[in-house]
């Protein structure tokens, strides 16, 4: 049973460029959340998708956008990259009506470096 | 607003000694509380969770945590540290099922031989 799969694992981009990160949730999960983890810090919530809609959003600018597909996979898009966007981006999947009992399953993340 | 404070960015213990990682939270509603572990260059793995059932929660790898409402704490303990426990540990709080997690800054656990 595959867990959460994220791609790519590492990425280097130039300031001003755009990037797309991908996430395939754990089998049976229907909800995907994205987190940004800067070096030496705890993760920060970006947004959550369920039923192909953004259900919750953290304190991130509109440069950060996402999408969820009918197969529950998700993309995170970041436009006009800044140096401060350099971080580990984590995807977490869950089952909408059972999260407290089962928690979130995290992927290994995508390490984004903006130069 | 919810918040999480983890006391000590680094904790060092000897192999075989007690591990105690501290977590205090603030929440306007009964919280859901989680401890996650992160090994270098890896994602986050759930250690244990409190979801308003028993206040003493047992997790994987011999870890446990006790929810103390009066102290707004959810400290993580393990009776005897092992070298493989060296990692970063994060405490997180959520105000509702499937709601966003609010994270502490993490505590790096160092195990001395």
């Amino acid at each position: 049973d595959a867990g959460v799969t994220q791609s790519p694992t590492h990425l280097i981009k130039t300031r001003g460029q755009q990037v797309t990160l991908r996430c395939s949730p754990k089998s049976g999960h229907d909800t995907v959340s994205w987190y940004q983890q800067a070096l030496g810090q705890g993760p920060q919530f970006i947004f959550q998708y369920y039923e192909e809609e953004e259900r919750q959003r953290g304190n991130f600018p509109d440069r950060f956008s996402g999408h969820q597909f009918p197969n529950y996979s998700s993309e995170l898009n970041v436009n006009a990259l800044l140096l401060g966007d350099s971080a580990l981006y984590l995807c977490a999947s869950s089952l909408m009506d059972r999260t407290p009992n089962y928690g979130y399953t995290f992927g290994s993340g995508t390490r984004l470096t903006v130069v | 607003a919810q918040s999480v404070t983890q006391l000590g960015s680094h904790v060092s213990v000897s192999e075989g000694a007690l591990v105690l990682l501290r977590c205090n939270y603030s929440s306007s509603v009964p919280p859901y509380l989680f401890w996650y572990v992160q090994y270098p260059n890896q994602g986050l793995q759930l250690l244990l969770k409190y979801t308003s059932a028993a206040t003493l929660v047992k997790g994987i790898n011999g870890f446990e945590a006790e929810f103390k409402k009066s102290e707004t704490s959810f400290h993580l303990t393990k009776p005897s540290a092992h070298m493989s426990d060296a990692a970063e540990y994060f405490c997180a709080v959520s105000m509702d099922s499937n709601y966003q997690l609010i994270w502490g800054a993490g505590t790096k656990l160092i195990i001395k031989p």
Side-chain angles (χ1 to χ4, degrees):
Chain A
D1 182 20
V4 177
T5 304
Q6 292 188 243
S7 63
T9 55
H10 294 83
L11 202 53
I12 299 175
K13 289 287 189 178
T14 304
R15 277 178 300 175
Q17 285 189 315
Q18 180 264 344
V19 68
T20 297
L21 311 181
R22 295 176 175 81
C23 172
S24 292
K26 180 178 179 179
S27 178
H29 283 185
D30 58 10
T31 303
V32 173
S33 302
W34 287 91
Y35 289 83
Q36 180 196 67
Q37 185 179 18
L39 202 60
Q41 297 182 25
Q44 298 287 322
F45 175 75
I46 303 175
F47 43 54
Q48 181 187 77
Y49 277 84
Y50 171 65
E51 293 186 328
E52 302 179 48
E53 291 187 3
E54 183 182 290
R55 295 294 176 136
Q56 303 172 44
R57 189 179 182 91
N59 188 27
F60 278 80
D62 292 344
R63 298 187 297 109
F64 290 76
S65 63
H67 190 78
Q68 185 180 35
F69 299 93
N71 67 353
Y72 307 118
S73 67
S74 177
E75 289 182 349
L76 163 64
N77 301 292
V78 186
N79 295 322
L81 284 167
L82 304 174
L83 295 179
D85 294 331
S86 295
L88 179 68
Y89 288 83
L90 294 164
C91 172
S93 73
S94 57
L95 196 55
M96 174 56 73
D97 64 348
R98 295 190 178 182
T99 300
N101 293 320
Y102 294 96
Y104 294 87
T105 300
F106 281 82
S108 297
T110 294
R111 174 72 64 185
L112 172 65
T113 302
V114 182
V115 298
Chain B
Q2 294 183 308
S3 66
V4 176
T5 302
Q6 290 185 242
L7 189 60
S9 59
H10 292 76
V11 170
S12 181
V13 302
S14 298
E15 189 174 19
L18 171 72
V19 174
L20 170 61
L21 303 182
R22 300 179 187 272
C23 172
N24 287 89
Y25 69 92
S26 68
S27 177
S28 56
V29 298
Y32 295 95
L33 292 158
F34 304 84
W35 274 100
Y36 281 84
V37 61
Q38 187 175 38
Y39 296 98
N41 300 314
Q42 294 188 27
L44 294 147
Q45 180 184 10
L46 180 66
L47 276 177
L48 49 79
K49 55 192 177 288
Y50 168 76
T51 57
S52 75
T55 57
L56 182 60
V57 182
K58 294 189 183 297
I60 62 172
N61 301 337
F63 284 95
E64 63 180 39
E66 186 172 9
F67 171 67
K68 292 186 176 180
K69 184 178 179 180
S70 61
E71 299 177 7
T72 60
S73 69
F74 191 56
H75 301 330
L76 181 71
T77 60
K78 182 174 180 176
S80 177
H82 192 273
M83 294 300 291
S84 62
D85 294 327
E88 189 147 25
Y89 293 78
F90 291 92
C91 181
V93 64
S94 177
M95 64 183 288
D96 200 353
S97 61
N98 216 37
Y99 203 69
Q100 60 177 283
L101 293 172
I102 306 299
W103 298 80
T107 297
K108 188 170 185 177
L109 179 62
I110 300 163
I111 310 296
K112 298 178 293 186

